[in-house]
């Protein structure tokens, strides 16, 4: 063996950087566990008891493969959204579906548009499939710059626009009307990926009506947030049957865990649990906001299960992240300007929030010197 | 909207055919459940009790994301195989890893080699990434034609050879020496994917020594068969760190379910359970073999958890499949010559085998007229 078999040109050109370093990896590096895990926007309010029961039953049948058609869940989602099952596809989380969307629509060398600092896994897939990335800046107030995004899609060879509404990492959101208008002005050749991972937490006026008539629109949703099934890896896309057919041609047909299928189905049916989670999260957001006011760390408006605190300048935010990490608190910090002056904190339980408040006050005092 | 956004050339050219129609889809079509599910080579002997316990605990933590590095499982697998954790990567089953391998090594238009009728999901991924397929025939006795496979890799632009040992759908296998020899004669540019999904069931002399020094060799294994975790979707690849680095650049970092991680870790530690499953499967294979002798349906040699029965000609096998389906037995039938004269039956529990024997005798009598 003299020669290494070569990777494809695209894969050979990729860096070894990954979308997220998990908290477990940071813990292994530190040699101890975080006392507060508030960095991954996981639900602090657990899993619906109905979903737990369904998953415990599913475990007993785990020697059987999952239904590759995800029939029961697709059918229930279709009923839930008043659409046809041909307008839904299931994936191992939105992360999985984003990769499929890039692969289905964008040739290597063609371009995709997303705000600079938007969800890193989208960028990971775009680069992984050899696409060019066009990245308008976020507005200073933390909103996506919808006009800049729309303008960017008019460049040659742009095939996809990615937007999260509400947004991650800022927590900000736009109304259904504004989202609809953005879709209207996109070029015909450009597909609009609307990531609605946090949709359960937004006011109703921020949720565009479900309408699958426009084949340019693909909406993605997940059971990872309000439903508390982040570790189950299950999400779905809603789109025109033509668009769904592309996913069906390339997706991993046996890719969704049987326990996740059962859990998601039960969680979907437990709207009472979801409503309760949303209520608790709202309370937590108000508490974070109040704390921000008191501490001179203003919060960005949020319609998610996290809150972004504005530390004014990047250096302060960097030091705040460091101070919280050293106080055994896992949070994240946007890496790109203008949001790199902020930190992003998941809404915890009342106990977690009380402990977080202590640590934050302490760390922020240190930063301010 | 006048125009549909177009798919990539490769995706536009794909058919809507999928690797496997699941038994659930057949059941929905029939309007009733199969009484015997012996078609997907799922383990009839369930999940290790230790794995069940570990997974029940994991469910309680499912609002947390999985560790994207799969650290604990990778470390345990490395210890198990006396290699480094940098020589292991985890995926959502071998299906997932096969797609990544094709994507990492084969440019669109380049070629891959696999026996005609080999594992359909490999073919699905090869086509899905726009590769050409070179498919030598199986030998008439059901073995892969190793010389024909090696010859085929010498054609221009062949980047991957896929071989399952033991083989699916035939159940046949080659010795470690024969596999090693095949690797030796492959061109430097050709990567050898050795799918060892059924490795726990083979005699020791059919398992090449674990040796990651040759970057052309990627071995894939799964928890879906002997460990009884098919529905969990978790498998792994063993290879040179250089090859593993390609997977790390493109894999879905949060792709493996947390319950699956916990279950696989516990299952790996329960070698007693696996040994017991292997013993029960051996007993079942002997029983199937004996039944084949008695019924004039000779079996191919098998070192897997299934047995392939030879119905002599394709028409007989087609009719036998139909007869068994109408008798509420789910089995599969290889679709390509020369193995399309056979049916493939999973080893069931003693009760399932007794019921299968009744139905088979009945259906086969009908076929022979």
């Amino acid at each position: 063996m003299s020669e290494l078999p070569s990777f494809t040109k695209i894969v050979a050109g990729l860096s070894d950087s990954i979308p997220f370093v998990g908290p477990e990896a940071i813990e292994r590096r530190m040699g101890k566990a975080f006392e507060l895990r508030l960095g991954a926007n996981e639900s602090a309010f657990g899993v619906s008891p109905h979903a737990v029961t369904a998953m415990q039953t599913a475990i007993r049948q785990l020697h059987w493969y999952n239904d590759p058609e995800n029939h029961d869940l697709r059918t229930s989602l279709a009923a839930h959204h008043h659409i046809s099952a041909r307008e839904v596809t299931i994936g191992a989380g939105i992360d999985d579906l984003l990769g499929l969307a890039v692969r289905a629509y964008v040739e290597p060398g063609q371009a995709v548009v997303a705000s600079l600092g938007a969800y890193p896994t989208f960028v990971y897939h775009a680069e992984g499939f050899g696409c060019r990335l066009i990245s308008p800046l976020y507005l200073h107030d933390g909103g996506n710059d919808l006009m800049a995004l729309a303008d960017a899609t008019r460049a040659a060879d742009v095939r996809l626009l990615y937007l999260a509404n509400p947004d991650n990492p800022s927590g900000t959101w736009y109304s259904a009307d504004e989202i609809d208008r953005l879709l209207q002005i996109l070029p015909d050749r450009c597909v609009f990926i609307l990531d609605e991972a946090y949709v359960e937490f937004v006011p109703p006026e921020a949720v565009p009506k479900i309408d699958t008539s426009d084949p340019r629109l693909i909406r993605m949703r997940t059971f990872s947030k309000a439903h508390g099934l982040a570790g189950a890896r299950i999400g779905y896309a809603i789109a025109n049957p033509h668009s769904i057919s592309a996913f069906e041609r390339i997706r991993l047909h046996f890719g969704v865990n049987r326990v996740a299928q059962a859990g998601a189905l039960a969680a979907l049916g437990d709207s009472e649990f979801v409503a309760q989670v949303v209520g608790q999260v709202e309370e937590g957001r108000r508490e974070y906001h109040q704390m921000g006011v008191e501490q001179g760390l203003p919060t960005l408006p949020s319609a998610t299960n996290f809150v972004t605190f504005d530390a004014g300048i990047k250096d302060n935010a960097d030091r705040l992240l460091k101070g919280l990490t050293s106080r055994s608190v896992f949070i994240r910090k946007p890496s790109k300007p203008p949001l790199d002056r902020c930190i992003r904190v998941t809404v915890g339980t009342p106990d977690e929030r009380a402990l977080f408040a202590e640590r934050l006050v302490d760390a922020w005092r240190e930063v301010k010197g």
Side-chain angles (χ1 to χ4, degrees), chain A:
Chain A
M1 276 305 312
S2 47
E3 209 188 325
L4 290 171
S6 53
F7 302 147
T8 63
K9 273 193 216 82
I10 292 172
V11 173
L14 294 174
S15 77
D16 288 329
S17 77
I18 56 172
F20 289 106
V21 176
E24 296 84 0
I26 305 172
E27 289 174 338
R28 285 189 289 269
R29 221 180 283 153
M30 299 190 307
K32 59 178 182 184
F34 283 112
E35 288 172 41
L36 275 177
R37 178 162 159 147
L38 299 175
N41 304 340
E42 296 154 332
S43 179
F45 306 98
V47 185
S48 141
H50 291 116
V52 169
T53 305
M55 293 191 289
Q56 269 163 348
T57 306
I59 281 178
R60 299 275 165 194
Q61 204 72 18
L62 212 50
H63 55 291
W64 278 10
Y65 284 103
N66 41 323
D67 171 16
E69 296 184 355
N70 298 288
H71 174 270
D72 295 349
L73 181 60
R74 270 195 312 129
T75 309
S76 289
L77 283 167
H80 186 84
H81 292 297
H82 308 291
I83 54 177
S84 132
R86 293 188 316 128
E87 295 166 320
V88 184
T89 190
I90 313 290
I94 288 179
D95 284 8
D96 181 18
L97 297 164
L98 288 174
L100 295 173
V102 171
R103 186 176 155 200
Y105 285 103
V106 196
E107 306 276 4
Q110 292 184 332
V112 303
V113 171
S115 297
L116 184 72
Y119 187 55
T121 305
F122 176 73
V123 175
Y124 174 75
H125 288 307
E127 290 175 346
F129 287 104
C131 311
R132 281 183 305 120
L133 212 65
I134 304 179
S135 307
L137 295 181
Y138 277 91
L139 298 167
H140 188 77
D141 71 5
N144 285 281
D145 188 340
L146 298 192
M147 284 310 99
L149 290 168
D151 282 349
T153 63
R154 281 184 268 282
D157 276 342
V158 172
R159 303 300 321 280
L160 272 189
L161 165 65
Y162 171 87
L163 178 75
N165 193 57
D167 181 71
N168 176 13
S170 72
T172 59
W173 73 100
Y174 287 100
S175 72
D177 283 350
E178 289 165 305
I179 300 296
D180 281 340
R181 218 170 306 139
L182 178 57
L183 176 63
Q184 294 321 316
I185 61 178
L186 289 187
D188 280 2
R189 62 173 152 69
C190 185
V191 167
F192 182 6
I193 306 284
L194 180 60
D195 178 342
E196 297 182 292
Y198 298 94
V199 71
E200 290 82 7
F201 301 103
V202 294
E205 62 272 20
V207 187
K209 204 172 138 299
I210 296 278
D211 174 356
T212 57
S213 62
D214 191 328
R216 294 174 309 169
L217 180 62
I218 301 177
R219 297 168 76 161
M220 295 189 181
R221 298 189 173 189
T222 184
F223 290 94
S224 295
K225 303 299 176 186
H227 301 89
L229 288 169
R233 314 313 304 129
I234 186 158
Y236 60 103
I238 297 176
N240 186 278
H242 174 74
S243 315
I244 295 295
S245 76
F247 288 84
E248 293 302 309
R249 288 174 189 188
I250 56 175
R251 74 183 176 89
L252 205 55
H253 285 265
F254 287 86
V256 177
N257 180 295
R258 195 175 174 100
V259 172
Q261 291 177 328
L265 188 62
L268 182 67
D270 196 353
S271 51
E272 208 178 310
F273 177 82
V274 172
Q276 192 206 71
V277 168
V278 168
Q280 292 186 274
V281 166
E282 275 171 13
E283 193 184 313
R285 283 202 311 252
R286 279 194 297 271
E287 215 176 286
Y288 279 179
H289 172 75
Q290 188 52 36
M291 180 173 30
V293 170
E294 287 162 14
Q295 294 299 318
L297 260 174
T299 56
L300 272 52
S302 167
T304 64
N305 70 349
F306 63 87
V307 170
T308 300
F309 293 82
D310 187 341
I313 54 169
K314 177 178 183 303
D315 186 51
N316 280 356
D318 285 340
R319 287 161 63 208
L320 192 50
L321 171 70
K322 216 169 150 186
L324 285 166
T325 306
S326 74
R327 286 167 179 80
S328 205
V329 182
F330 169 57
I331 58 149
R332 290 203 193 271
K333 187 193 158 301
S335 62
K336 298 284 164 53
L339 295 179
D340 57 355
R341 67 180 199 275
C342 301
I343 61 165
R344 195 196 71 178
V345 186
T346 307
V347 171
T349 61
D351 283 355
E352 289 171 330
R353 297 190 313 251
L355 188 56
F356 173 67
E358 277 178 31
R359 307 268 162 108
L360 179 74
V361 168
D362 198 39
W364 183 230
R365 187 181 302 132
E366 192 177 74
V367 169
K368 290 185 301 182

